[in-house]
Amino acid sequence: MVRVRFAPSPTGYLHIGSARTALFNWLYAKHNNGKFILRIEDTDKERSKEEFLEEILGSLKWLFMDWDEELTFQSKRFDIYKKYAEELVKQNLAYMEGPAIIFRVEKEKKIAFEDMIHGTIEVSTNEIKDQVLMKSDGTPTYNFACVIDDAMMKITHIIRGDDHISNTPKQVMLYEAMCLPLPKFAHIPLILSKGGGRMSKRHGATSIFEYKNMGFLPEALVNYLSLMGWAPGNDREILPIEELVKLFDVKDVNKTGATFDMDKLVWINSQYIKDMPIEKLLPKTVEYLKDKKVLDDKFDEARWTEVVKAYKERTRTLEDLISVYKIFFGDTLEYDEKATEKYLKKPNSKDIISKCKTAVEGLAKYDKHSIEEAYRKLAEEMKCKAAELIHPTRVAISGKTVGAGLFDMMEILGRNTVLQRLGKFC
Ligand code: GLU
């Protein structure tokens, strides 16, 4: 059975690159009906923090990556590492330097392993120094604890970032010295920023919760992350998680770095918003607005449902809905200055708005079809294009030149609010 693990160190928030590593492991496990296990590499007591662990686990859950079995904490296993290190000393494969235990590297040997992505990797032991296994403070080194744990946890495939590729020969050496069965390795390319170089804070958000904050849906982020270094072999880009599970294979991951492209992520997000059934999207928008402290006592679910229906085609991120909320539930509008100049401050603007207002007042029935009909009729009477009425009205009732269909907006806002807003400009 396939058993993979994700092994974060709780010394910082979940980085976008690590989330992608976790995802490839999770997908590989799911695709093969295997297990996805978490190991917390908290050997550095000073830097490991409970809040980081909570955040990492929360981010994984948010991205639908549930895990199997109990968490393994390296900090609880120091005695085990020590026992194995002392065994190596007994066998004369390691020696002590004070309380530290060091593995002796035999020179003039070749260490080779098969990487599922990079093929055969071979290094000479002449390039490897003796390896510290246990430090003088009693804590294990990463390479040592990793090997013991991967072996004891019966991990079959180690899928991790390319940045560990130079550690792997050192680990292989330890597997051989301890006669432990060797797992398979796959080193996945790093996520690079657009200008090249590793994704870092400078290039935008790096922690997963920052993406949540920016209004990305976890479905879209999972989809986007899966395409960072992997493709299903056709041009498809919208791949829901069930599809990914079906199609993903680690051996199809590229060797070269994947470039992070914010525009593409935004596009994928907009597709998910557009295609998501309203019943599923609605609670997500409400939760987001609550988190952002935008939702207030003016909120009305029935009206918000209509708003989201009207706007979902053109919403890129949930963040876009903050200003939309203010249009429909706020007391004061923020007017786009240029739009106001262009549509509401021209010599004939007052006249146009006033005629529109009269038309709205005179409607026997107030719904989008009747409003549209009245506007078309008015345009005919005024011998102008309907657009010459639509643009100023839109700016007067929403403060903006873009948005959902005007007549939808007017219907949702209700006649009183529309008249009041138009009244300000005539
Ligand atoms: N704690 C290591 C890291 O976060 C784990 C590396 C590994 O997967 O072996 O990079």
Side-chain angles (χ1 to χ4, degrees):
M1 181 199 278
V2 165
R3 290 173 63 85
V4 294
R5 75 339 181 242
F6 175 55
S9 301
T11 53
Y13 298 124
L14 186 66
H15 184 275
I16 183 123
S18 308
R20 201 264 323 243
T21 301
L23 179 63
F24 283 6
N25 274 286
W26 186 88
L27 287 173
Y28 194 69
K30 295 289 149 185
H31 181 85
N32 292 291
N33 285 320
K35 299 267 189 240
F36 171 72
I37 302 159
L38 291 190
R39 179 170 72 232
I40 310 305
E41 302 211 326
D42 55 350
T43 55
D44 186 335
K45 283 211 169 110
E46 289 282 296
R47 291 175 55 228
S48 298
K49 300 258 183 309
E50 185 66 28
E51 67 186 88
F52 291 135
L53 177 61
E54 294 296 316
E55 204 265 1
I56 291 168
L57 299 181
S59 300
L60 291 174
K61 282 188 202 151
W62 184 63
L63 294 173
F64 313 106
M65 287 183 245
D66 46 347
W67 55 88
D68 299 297
E69 305 181 2
E70 297 277 301
L71 299 182
T72 298
F73 288 87
Q74 287 193 325
S75 59
K76 296 188 182 148
R77 299 168 55 80
F78 288 178
D79 288 350
I80 298 174
Y81 308 129
K82 191 164 172 228
K83 202 183 89 209
Y84 275 90
E86 282 169 350
E87 188 57 35
L88 286 168
V89 175
K90 266 195 214 142
Q91 293 173 24
N92 200 26
L93 295 169
Y95 56 92
M96 301 192 69
E97 232 174 52
I101 303 180
I102 296 162
F103 181 76
R104 185 179 294 110
V105 175
E106 218 183 297
K107 301 292 165 194
E108 305 297 335
K109 273 183 70 187
K110 290 253 177 280
I111 303 284
F113 66 94
E114 274 303 304
D115 186 287
M116 292 170 81
I117 298 168
H118 296 267
T120 310
I121 294 181
E122 198 182 85
V123 291
S124 154
T125 52
N126 292 350
E127 290 166 33
I128 305 176
K129 289 194 296 224
D130 283 2
Q131 296 291 304
V132 177
L133 305 176
M134 297 297 290
K135 300 184 216 168
S136 47
D137 65 2
T139 64
T141 54
Y142 156 71
N143 277 326
F144 185 52
C146 184
V147 168
I148 305 285
D149 288 342
D150 284 334
M152 287 180 80
M153 291 163 76
K154 301 200 170 4
I155 301 301
T156 55
H157 296 74
I158 294 179
I159 303 170
R160 62 183 165 208
D162 255 359
D163 49 339
H164 284 291
I165 219 162
S166 62
N167 282 321
T168 307
K170 296 170 192 166
Q171 296 185 7
V172 169
M173 220 167 48
L174 295 173
Y175 278 100
E176 286 175 357
M178 292 185 279
C179 301
L180 297 169
L182 203 61
K184 292 202 159 57
F185 293 95
H187 290 91
I188 60 180
L190 292 181
I191 297 185
L192 306 175
S193 66
K194 239 183 173 168
R198 209 177 165 176
M199 255 306 265
S200 75
K201 265 261 168 273
R202 257 182 323 121
H203 307 108
T206 49
S207 97
I208 288 304
F209 273 150
E210 283 178 76
Y211 288 88
K212 184 178 187 209
N213 232 329
M214 288 190 281
F216 288 101
L217 295 177
E219 290 83 354
L221 195 52
V222 162
N223 188 150
Y224 180 66
L225 285 176
S226 76
L227 298 176
M228 303 274 290
W230 174 82
N234 51 33
D235 284 338
R236 279 185 67 194
E237 291 193 308
I238 301 298
L239 295 148
I241 202 159
E242 313 76 55
E243 284 287 301
L244 292 173
V245 167
K246 251 188 249 160
L247 298 171
F248 183 79
D249 195 336
V250 77
K251 65 180 186 351
D252 298 332
V253 171
N254 297 332
K255 284 194 186 64
T256 49
T259 307
F260 186 82
D261 181 348
M262 191 63 166
D263 295 338
K264 185 152 171 196
L265 172 58
V266 169
W267 178 78
I268 290 182
N269 203 57
S270 70
Q271 299 303 303
Y272 274 85
I273 292 180
K274 183 161 76 72
D275 295 340
M276 194 168 274
I278 186 79
E279 321 78 70
K280 200 172 161 202
L281 181 61
L282 204 69
K284 290 180 188 263
T285 66
V286 172
E287 196 192 309
Y288 183 78
L289 295 177
K290 264 192 201 153
D291 283 353
K292 287 281 178 174
K293 310 215 180 328
V294 172
L295 208 82
D296 55 16
D297 51 9
K298 301 210 189 58
F299 176 75
D300 172 285
E301 189 172 328
R303 177 187 275 198
W304 182 244
T305 308
E306 294 312 308
V307 173
V308 176
K309 274 190 202 160
Y311 275 83
K312 79 199 270 278
E313 288 280 326
R314 66 199 75 230
T315 302
R316 295 163 310 163
T317 64
L318 298 180
E319 197 170 29
D320 289 350
L321 294 176
I322 293 180
S323 60
V324 173
Y325 182 87
K326 291 181 181 158
I327 294 172
F328 290 89
F329 297 93
D331 290 329
T332 44
L333 277 187
E334 284 166 25
Y335 297 95
D336 177 305
E337 227 174 274
K338 269 197 195 146
T340 316
E341 281 300 322
K342 188 166 173 194
Y343 294 112
L344 299 172
K345 291 195 174 160
K346 288 278 157 65
N348 61 345
S349 298
K350 270 194 176 181
D351 183 48
I352 291 177
I353 296 289
S354 161
K355 290 206 167 88
C356 292
K357 186 166 169 260
T358 310
V360 172
E361 274 163 345
L363 287 172
K365 193 168 161 234
Y366 186 83
D367 64 21
K368 61 180 178 186
H369 302 294
S370 323
I371 308 170
E372 177 163 8
E373 220 174 276
Y375 265 64
R376 305 257 173 237
K377 209 171 121 222
L378 180 60
E380 250 173 58
E381 282 165 21
M382 291 173 68
K383 299 199 180 6
C384 69
K385 287 194 199 123
E388 289 173 54
L389 309 178
I390 288 174
H391 293 313
T393 303
R394 182 192 291 286
V395 179
I397 66 164
S398 72
K400 297 180 196 307
T401 51
V402 288
L406 176 70
F407 306 116
D408 288 295
M409 290 172 72
M410 290 174 85
E411 179 177 323
I412 301 168
L413 274 170
R415 178 155 24 196
N416 286 346
T417 309
V418 167
L419 290 178
Q420 190 200 342
R421 290 187 183 173
L422 290 175
K424 278 195 173 177
F425 298 95
C426 61

